[in-house]
């Protein structure tokens, strides 16, 4: 009974605490409101399990279906094989809280009602605000902004996405950057100057960091490469010659370290995707321990490490313990695995000073999925903090402080969001 009370009390506190969404890809409101939503396109990460079960993306799966009944039959076929996964439970919570689902799963009997409700409610402009601001209590969401795109500052805080910077040895990427900043790129030095100019432009408009998600396609391991070596290889690319992967990697590594310099000079947060990738990926490439040379090279830069490094969360905990320039970000994690989230947090709270733990990042496309992700996060946080108090001698003061720190204050501090405090 006491345990229930403690957890409930913490959950109540969590549900009253304002939130900074520490990693977002949410659609801009203007785009979200253009869309016609239904049960069959209001989708998030379960699309990846659909691909894993059927070998098809959602569009291909639904291709040629004459009506919603047929679409439901196809989705049901996938659910029969995979409704256990966390990515699906993320949807269930959303259907329950927002679209009138009474039961604990979608069935032949209730799918139509949910579909109707989605068609009626989703896509509305006030709906967008109601969910993000009222139900989720989100002050701002730190959003990935691809090169040359803009954002809605009333909802988002920008971080400039930098995978394209690693691909500057490719002509189309180079030409696009040169055109945008109005500079010609005839050398590696000029490419770096153009990158600096682009970053300055975004920072001047309020961007607070740069982000790399290169672990989706290559190893996080990078090492310092001299400008002479990188320039020689870059000249080869400028001459239109194909680079081998070891050559391309040296240029990429050089740029990764250059981004570290930029972050240091311009006082920007350096966000890096670690852990969890897509189907058929090379999982060890995403191990955050590969980042140690970079972390050591830039002790003044604040590295914001994503996705709990899962499955390398324990490694991430030790990075947090021994590298004071790292921030451990739980973005995406609760929808990946609630059990893994609880274990990661339970260990990190033992290891890492709490001011460097970031408790929530939605990492989804629409407000509805932010909400159900946040509900999973709230539940895990309450579970973990209650257990730490009861079994591991964590004081109640420390536990309640952590709630506000992990959901709000740490992010304000890290991203410099004074206005949102
Ligand atoms: Zn993301």
């Amino acid at each position: 009974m006491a345990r229930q009370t403690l957890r409930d009390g913490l959950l109540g506190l969590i549900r009253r605490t304002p939130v900074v969404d520490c990693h977002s890809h949410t659609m801009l409101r203007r785009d979200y409101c253009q869309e016609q939503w239904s049960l069959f396109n209001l989708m998030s990460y379960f699309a990846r399990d659909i691909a894993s079960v059927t070998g098809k993306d959602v569009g291909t799966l639904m291709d040629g279906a004459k009506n919603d009944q047929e679409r439901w039959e196809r989705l049901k076929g996938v659910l029969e094989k995979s409704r256990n996964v966390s990515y699906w439970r993320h949807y269930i919570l959303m259907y329950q809280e927002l679209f009138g689902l009474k039961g604990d799963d979608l069935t032949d009997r209730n799918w139509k009602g949910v579909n109707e409700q989605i068609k009626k409610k989703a896509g509305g402009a006030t709906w967008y605000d109601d969910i993000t601001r009222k139900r989720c209590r989100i002050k701002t969401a730190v959003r990935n902004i691809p090169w040359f795109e803009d954002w809605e500052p009333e909802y988002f805080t920008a971080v400039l996405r930098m995978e394209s910077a690693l691909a500057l040895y490719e002509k189309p990427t180079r030409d696009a950057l040169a055109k945008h900043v109005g500079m010609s790129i005839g050398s590696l030095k000029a490419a770096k100057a153009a990158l600096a100019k682009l970053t300055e432009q975004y920072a001047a408009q309020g961007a607070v960091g740069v982000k790399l998600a290169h672990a989706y396609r290559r190893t996080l391991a990078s090492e310092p490469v001299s400008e002479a070596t990188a320039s020689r290889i870059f000249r080869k690319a400028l001459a239109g010659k194909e680079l081998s992967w070891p050559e391309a990697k040296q240029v990429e590594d050089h740029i990764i370290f250059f981004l570290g310099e930029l972050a240091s000079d311009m006082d920007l947060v350096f966000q890096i995707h670690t852990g969890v990738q897509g189907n058929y990926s090379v999982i060890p490439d995403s191990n955050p321990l590969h980042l140690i040379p970079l972390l050591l090279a830039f002790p003044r830069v604040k590295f914001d490490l994503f996705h709990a490094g899962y499955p390398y969360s324990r490694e991430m905990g030790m990075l947090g313990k021994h590298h004071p320039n790292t921030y451990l970000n739980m973005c995406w994690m609760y929808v990946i695995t609630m059990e893994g989230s609880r274990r990661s947090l339970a260990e990190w709270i033992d290891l890492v000073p709490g001011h460097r733990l970031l408790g929530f990042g939605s990492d989804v496309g629409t407000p509805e999925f932010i909400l159900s992700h946040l509900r999973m996060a709230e539940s895990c946080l309450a579970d973990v903090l209650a257990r730490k108090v009861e079994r591991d001698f964590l004081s109640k003061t420390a536990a309640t402080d952590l709630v506000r720190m992990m959901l709000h204050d740490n992010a304000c501090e890290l991203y410099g969001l004074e206005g949102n405090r």
Side-chain angles (χ1 to χ4, degrees):
M1 186 59 205
R3 171 167 167 67
Q4 200 54 25
T5 309
L6 178 61
R7 187 195 182 275
D8 287 351
L10 283 162
L11 187 61
L13 174 67
I14 289 165
R15 296 283 300 261
R16 293 190 299 276
T17 302
V19 172
V20 172
D21 181 345
C22 290
H23 174 51
S24 159
H25 298 273
T26 306
M27 291 174 82
L28 300 181
R29 191 173 80 160
R30 62 175 185 245
D31 299 326
Y32 169 83
C33 295
Q34 296 296 317
E35 206 65 50
Q36 298 292 315
W37 296 104
S38 79
L39 181 67
F40 306 104
N41 69 359
L42 189 60
M43 289 263 162
S44 185
Y45 291 109
F46 186 63
R48 296 191 183 184
D49 290 315
I50 292 179
S52 146
V53 169
T54 66
K56 297 172 188 165
D57 61 34
V58 182
T60 316
L61 178 72
M62 297 302 172
D63 224 15
K66 285 192 278 302
N67 51 40
D68 283 353
Q69 181 67 42
E70 260 186 51
R71 289 182 193 98
W72 164 245
E73 294 298 335
R74 292 182 193 188
L75 179 60
K76 191 171 85 170
V78 180
L79 288 175
E80 280 163 0
K81 295 178 177 170
S82 61
R83 61 165 27 112
N84 58 290
V85 296
S86 182
Y87 281 164
W88 176 245
R89 283 177 260 145
H90 179 212
Y91 290 36
I92 296 293
L93 285 184
M94 174 188 73
Y95 301 147
Q96 287 171 333
E97 183 164 343
L98 296 174
F99 301 117
L101 176 65
K102 295 281 188 299
D104 64 1
D105 215 323
L106 217 54
T107 64
D108 281 326
R109 252 181 268 160
N110 61 29
W111 74 268
K112 270 190 193 143
V114 172
N115 192 29
E116 290 306 305
Q117 290 268 311
I118 293 175
K119 289 181 177 180
K120 207 164 93 191
K121 292 179 177 168
T126 53
W127 182 247
Y128 189 99
D129 285 36
D130 272 358
I131 296 180
T132 56
R133 290 187 168 150
K134 292 203 187 118
R135 289 182 189 250
C136 298
R137 319 175 302 280
I138 290 176
K139 298 290 154 195
T140 184
V142 179
R143 187 177 188 274
N144 260 232
I145 308 298
W147 277 15
F148 320 138
E149 291 185 14
D150 69 343
W151 64 97
E152 292 168 339
E154 60 273 39
Y155 299 100
F156 301 107
T157 299
V159 163
L160 183 59
R161 196 163 175 155
M162 279 295 188
E163 281 93 279
S164 305
L166 305 193
L168 281 172
Y169 50 75
E170 289 166 359
K171 189 170 173 0
T173 311
R174 212 160 52 231
D175 289 349
L177 177 62
K179 187 170 166 225
H180 184 85
V181 297
M183 294 163 74
S184 69
I185 300 180
S187 66
L188 182 63
K189 258 203 167 86
K192 284 155 66 177
L195 267 181
K197 186 163 178 193
L198 179 73
T199 311
E200 276 157 17
Q201 281 176 1
Y202 273 83
Q205 292 170 59
V208 298
V210 291
K211 185 213 171 182
L212 274 183
H214 53 316
Y216 278 111
R217 65 165 179 86
R218 55 155 280 178
T219 175
L220 285 176
S222 56
E223 53 192 44
V225 173
S226 72
E227 186 163 76
T229 304
S231 287
R232 180 177 49 75
I233 302 168
F234 199 75
R235 273 198 296 277
K236 201 174 151 183
L238 285 169
K241 295 200 184 97
E242 192 83 18
L243 302 186
S244 67
W245 169 239
E247 286 174 324
K249 182 176 184 294
Q250 284 188 293
V251 176
E252 291 191 6
D253 285 5
H254 182 80
I255 300 280
I256 290 169
F257 277 74
F258 175 67
L259 293 175
E261 283 172 37
L262 273 188
S264 180
D265 293 347
M266 296 172 63
D267 206 15
L268 295 170
V269 176
F270 198 154
Q271 298 190 314
I272 302 181
H273 173 112
T274 72
V276 201
Q277 305 141 304
N279 290 341
Y280 295 110
S281 52
V282 183
I283 295 167
D285 277 357
S286 71
N287 188 332
L289 293 184
H290 289 313
L291 293 171
I292 289 173
L294 188 67
L295 303 178
L296 289 174
F298 299 100
R300 282 185 351 98
V301 172
K302 291 169 174 167
F303 288 92
D304 178 358
L305 305 181
F306 280 11
H307 316 313
Y310 198 77
Y312 306 102
S313 306
R314 183 166 289 164
E315 285 82 343
M316 185 89 123
M318 289 311 283
L319 278 183
K321 179 120 198 112
H322 293 315
H323 293 265
N325 55 342
T326 57
Y327 290 72
L328 278 49
N329 194 324
M330 284 294 287
C331 55
W332 192 7
M333 256 305 267
Y334 308 96
V335 292
I336 294 164
T337 161
M338 290 178 74
E339 188 59 31
S341 297
R342 281 189 288 260
R343 289 184 191 188
S344 306
L345 285 171
E347 293 187 11
W348 294 358
I349 289 170
D350 289 344
L351 295 168
V352 185
H355 77 116
R356 288 192 280 111
L357 300 178
L358 303 169
F360 181 68
S362 63
D363 213 351
V364 297
T366 65
E368 294 85 352
F369 284 108
I370 301 175
L371 177 77
S372 49
H373 191 181
L374 184 60
R375 294 291 177 258
M376 294 166 104
E378 290 164 346
S379 175
C380 286
L381 276 172
D383 285 340
V384 171
L385 291 171
R387 281 201 96 160
K388 299 307 281 183
V389 170
E390 281 174 1
R391 297 196 318 185
D392 297 348
F393 311 109
L394 184 75
S395 71
K396 280 188 195 151
T397 310
T400 50
D401 283 355
L402 276 174
V403 169
R404 199 173 167 95
M405 290 163 75
M406 291 176 65
L407 289 178
H408 180 268
D409 291 0
N410 293 348
C412 290
E413 192 85 37
L414 174 63
Y415 307 118
L417 311 171
E418 294 91 354
N420 286 295
R421 288 203 84 144

